[in-house]
Amino acid sequence: MNEKNINSAYALACERYNELGIDAKAAIKKVLGIPISMHCWQGDDVRGFENADGDLTGGIQTTGNFMGRARNADELRGDIEFALSMIPGRHRLNVHACYAEFNGKKVDRDQLGPEHFKNWIDWAKDKGLGMDFNPTIFSHPMFTEFSLSSRNKKIRDFWIRHTQCTRRIAAAIGKALGSPCVNNVWIPDGFKDIPADRSTPRKILSDALDECFAEKLNPKYMLDSVESKLFGIGAESYTVGSHEFYMGYAVKNQTLLTLDSGHYHPTEVISDKLSAVLPFVPGILLHVSRGVRWDSDHVVIVNDELIAIAQELVRLNEFKRIHIGLDYFDASINRIAAWTIGMRAMQKALLQAFLEPRKQMLDAEKKGDYAPRMIWGEAAKTLPFGAIWDKLCLDNDCPTDTDLLCDVKKYENNVLAKR
Ligand code: RNT
Ligand code: ZN
């Protein structure tokens, strides 16, 4: 896109926002100050590098066979670097334990240590990225249908040890990078069909989590979070770690709570949950995703719910306590585009939220006069937001939306097609 056109459209757009008392330049600055945790697992279809051909289990699934999946950590880091070059601002990388690098000496997941993530940490430091982390409690012979909630002590203890390892790794990451690393526990445990006993697995899980979290680690370096889910493929009737379970657990034990936007009933939205949950927990981790029918993990795009989430984030103004991360995996399209589209969509939604005629809407609401609130909400949708976004991209050496394709295709031909 022509630079001159971007600049003149921006100047006019600023004036238009200014008429409404909105500072567009300040909005750009605010968006650039918000790090988003990009999930490494979009780049290799959630496979990890422990085995060449590990099957993805745990009720999550990638579909599609687009060329050029990253086959090792170096390729994955290269792809991430390229994606980040098209995403304005400074961000974080969210890594799963199954992305360990063994340097010839493979250990099982209950023996992992920070040394297995040295390359990731050094690389993140070099790039100025923060990092977040996750135990990988799926795609492993010790994961049957149950893990931390298993009645089998041997299985349960294995996953407890694994989770304990990941907390220490997270603390080492946070210390090395100078920013707390959120360690997010998600387990797929559940029943395909109607259980005869819903409470025992939940009791077991609660006790197992207590064991996982028993070691006190410095919140300056790592933060614990727990993630609920409604159902998974093969666990349609009962999920041990349901929303109410983890909300209770997080409130009682003062851990963070992860809200994944794909993990609720189709008309249930996390935008409404942020202000309800935040007063009672030390923080929230967002897994911004996009549910489509049975799938909870489509690429994030700007839609009504994303905008509603961003509006709530801006209105709450608790960016230290609410950690924004993405979580989806689409193997049917260029994976680098998938990352870039999702990250930029989150930023666009935030920008739009910073540009809303907030004062006007609030004034109307306080007076109990709701038509003006609706009029301002509707007006916000046709304000020249795109001109502000284009300028944000231009000033940060990133392609505009219409130029994105050209960059993506070049990398596809030069790098991905050769894999
Ligand atoms: C699965 C959860 C979980 C995973 C990642 C890979 O439904 O959302 O967060 O997507 O841990
Ligand atoms: Zn998630």
Side-chain angles (χ1 to χ4, degrees), residues 175-416:
K175 193 169 183 186
L177 301 180
S179 130
C181 172
V182 182
N183 194 46
N184 176 52
V185 178
W186 171 71
I187 61 166
D189 302 22
F191 281 119
K192 181 181 176 75
D193 229 314
I194 304 161
D197 175 2
R198 290 175 183 269
S199 66
T200 301
R202 288 184 171 141
K203 170 83 181 93
I204 295 173
L205 176 57
S206 174
D207 292 345
L209 290 170
D210 289 349
E211 275 192 63
C212 292
F213 298 145
E215 184 179 353
K216 286 275 158 282
L217 293 169
N218 192 340
K220 231 172 86 190
Y221 302 136
M222 75 83 60
L223 298 164
D224 291 301
S225 198
V226 288
E227 179 180 10
S228 70
K229 196 169 180 178
L230 181 63
F231 80 98
I233 304 166
E236 289 84 1
S237 300
Y238 169 74
T239 293
V240 185
S242 60
H243 178 51
E244 290 75 10
F245 173 88
Y246 277 124
M247 195 161 80
Y249 190 88
V251 170
K252 181 172 171 211
N253 298 286
Q254 289 298 291
T255 67
L256 275 67
L257 185 70
T258 301
L259 300 177
D260 183 312
S261 51
H263 286 192
Y264 298 88
H265 292 280
T267 60
E268 190 182 359
V269 284
I270 67 164
S271 48
D272 183 56
K273 297 184 191 296
L274 292 170
S275 59
V277 168
L278 195 64
F280 306 106
V281 290
I284 290 174
L285 170 65
L286 288 185
H287 271 189
V288 181
S289 189
R290 179 164 56 102
V292 177
R293 302 191 187 280
W294 60 268
D295 179 52
S296 58
D297 294 293
H298 273 56
V299 178
V300 167
I301 55 173
V302 179
N303 60 13
D304 286 351
E305 173 55 3
L306 190 71
I307 292 171
I309 291 169
Q311 285 170 338
E312 281 304 304
L313 288 170
V314 166
R315 293 167 188 183
L316 286 164
N317 194 22
E318 287 265 22
F319 290 99
K320 288 246 146 45
R321 285 172 68 207
I322 306 181
H323 307 254
I324 310 174
L326 306 185
D327 180 18
Y328 53 79
F329 20 95
D330 187 341
S332 75
I333 62 170
N334 182 310
R335 295 167 185 81
I336 293 155
W339 267 321
T340 312
I341 292 165
M343 289 287 282
R344 289 167 59 113
M346 187 71 241
Q347 292 185 298
K348 275 187 264 184
L350 285 166
L351 182 62
Q352 216 160 332
F354 280 119
L355 290 170
E356 75 174 352
R358 173 103 182 99
K359 191 179 169 306
Q360 291 86 332
M361 292 167 80
L362 255 183
D363 285 350
E365 184 165 294
K366 282 184 200 152
K367 285 188 200 129
D369 193 5
Y370 302 130
R373 182 180 64 184
M374 194 183 284
I375 287 171
W376 284 114
E378 285 301 287
K381 295 176 185 170
T382 55
L383 287 172
F385 151 79
I388 312 291
W389 170 247
D390 287 342
K391 174 71 171 165
L392 189 161
C393 293
L394 175 71
D395 285 355
N396 288 277
D397 295 322
C398 289
T400 56
D401 284 7
T402 46
D403 289 335
L404 203 54
L405 189 61
C406 175
D407 291 28
V408 166
K409 277 290 165 201
K410 249 189 249 157
Y411 192 85
E412 193 172 300
N413 294 333
N414 297 341
V415 182
L416 301 184

Side-chain angles (χ1 to χ4, degrees), residues 26-98:
I28 290 183
K29 213 170 144 211
K30 284 184 187 151
V31 171
L32 290 170
I34 300 171
I36 301 168
S37 194
M38 191 168 97
H39 54 310
C40 80
W41 51 90
Q42 163 63 62
D44 76 325
D45 312 339
V46 211
R47 285 167 189 246
F49 305 127
E50 292 166 319
N51 313 304
D53 262 320
D55 262 353
L56 180 58
T57 65
I60 52 178
Q61 205 170 76
T62 51
T63 49
N65 192 23
F66 196 83
M67 58 138 146
R69 164 176 67 82
R71 295 160 302 177
N72 55 55
D74 287 328
E75 286 183 355
L76 187 57
R77 280 189 285 265
D79 291 354
I80 292 167
E81 266 174 50
F82 178 58
L84 289 175
S85 75
M86 298 182 288
I87 300 163
R90 259 175 200 271
H91 297 283
R92 304 174 64 83
L93 185 73
N94 196 359
V95 173
H96 244 279
C98 61

Side-chain angles (χ1 to χ4, degrees), residues 40-41 46-51 94-102 106-113 116-117 120 131-140 159 161-167 169-170 173 182-184:
C40 80
W41 51 90
V46 211
R47 285 167 189 246
F49 305 127
E50 292 166 319
N51 313 304
N94 196 359
V95 173
H96 244 279
C98 61
Y99 292 85
E101 288 171 275
F102 296 110
K106 195 179 166 200
V107 299
D108 210 344
R109 287 192 196 161
D110 62 339
Q111 304 294 320
L112 288 170
H116 301 117
F117 296 88
W120 284 109
M131 267 177 73
D132 297 300
F133 203 62
N134 309 258
T136 307
I137 311 185
F138 50 84
S139 305
H140 187 280
W159 293 113
R161 286 195 303 278
H162 173 58
T163 307
Q164 290 168 339
C165 291
T166 61
R167 294 184 70 236
I169 295 166
I173 292 173
V182 182
N183 194 46
N184 176 52

